[in-house]
Amino acid sequence: MIASVRGTVLTVRLDAAVVEVGGVGMLVQATPTTLAGLRVGQETRLATSMVVREDSLTLFGFADDDERDVFEVVQSVSGVGPRLALAMLAVHTPDGLRRAVATEDLAALKRVPGIGQKGAQRIVLELGDRLGVPVSDGIGAGRAQAAPADRRDEVVEALVGLGWNVKVAQDAVAGVLADTEGPIGADEVAGVLRAALRGLGAGRG
């Protein structure tokens, strides 16, 4: 198993990046949020998980070990493969998933493309407490009660990092959040980024 890769970022696409490790370009599938943090020409370190199939070897990359571990655990649920597991992490942070499972928040789980009512129920039932408690709970609970900072600019910066200009990125985010009042929190950044990328992709087609 390849647990991590460290090397120079050669290319960044909407769904993957190529990282050069020891002269070999490794294609790494990742969430939009992880990819938005990469810069071509700069060195990066990604936690990774390799999925082996009869006809393919696919490497999935994550910003940290916690994301990678959650990615692997959720695949223990019937019907959840690597693509759906990656989609779950594109919409929710690891703590967001832990919280959704722990509180049986089916609505939150159903925000992931490909997960319906029965799928959400199965995830809650089969995962149980296997994901553990949210890291932000306990010691960090006091900080979590503070008024959330608006993270819209983070989404714009992520889109710019993926190749769009600032005006296009701002318009895309504004379109996604047209009906949203108030600030967006850290747990919402990935979902907004994903929605903005879908809109931009449709505009290119």
Side-chain angles (χ1 to χ4, degrees):
M1 174 181 174
I2 300 177
S4 67
V5 297
R6 183 186 297 275
T8 302
V9 180
L10 297 182
T11 61
V12 180
R13 306 187 327 213
L14 293 181
D15 60 349
V18 176
V19 179
E20 184 177 36
V21 181
V24 177
M26 306 190 76
L27 181 67
V28 184
Q29 306 287 324
T31 67
T33 303
T34 297
L35 294 168
L38 305 180
R39 297 292 181 270
V40 173
Q42 294 186 4
E43 183 173 292
T44 189
R45 185 265 185 193
L46 296 173
T48 58
S49 177
M50 176 168 282
V51 176
V52 180
R53 297 285 185 265
E54 289 185 4
D55 58 349
S56 66
L57 296 173
T58 306
L59 195 62
F60 293 87
F62 308 90
D64 54 41
D65 293 350
D66 187 35
E67 272 195 350
R68 189 262 320 282
D69 294 345
V70 169
F71 171 80
E72 293 178 345
V73 171
V74 297
Q75 288 181 70
S76 65
V77 176
S78 304
V80 176
R83 297 296 177 185
L84 185 54
L86 195 66
M88 292 169 71
L89 286 167
V91 174
H92 296 290
T93 64
D95 267 3
L97 281 176
R98 291 187 179 100
R99 195 170 294 109
V101 172
T103 61
E104 300 186 11
D105 187 350
L106 302 185
L109 294 172
K110 287 163 58 180
R111 287 203 294 270
V112 178
I115 296 180
Q117 180 72 16
K118 291 183 178 179
Q121 291 173 334
R122 185 167 59 248
I123 289 169
V124 169
L125 178 64
E126 295 188 20
L127 281 183
D129 60 357
R130 295 185 60 199
L131 288 178
V133 298
V135 175
S136 60
D137 285 356
I139 294 176
R143 292 193 298 271
Q145 298 303 315
D150 195 348
R151 304 299 183 95
R152 296 175 190 235
D153 287 347
E154 290 186 17
V155 183
V156 173
E157 291 175 6
L159 291 171
V160 172
L162 288 172
W164 280 277
N165 66 49
V166 174
K167 180 63 167 61
V168 170
Q170 290 174 334
D171 289 347
V173 173
V176 171
L177 299 174
D179 298 324
T180 301
E181 297 181 1
I184 65 168
D187 284 355
E188 299 173 277
V189 168
V192 174
L193 177 58
R194 185 183 180 87
L197 285 168
R198 283 201 300 267
L200 289 167
R204 282 182 168 180

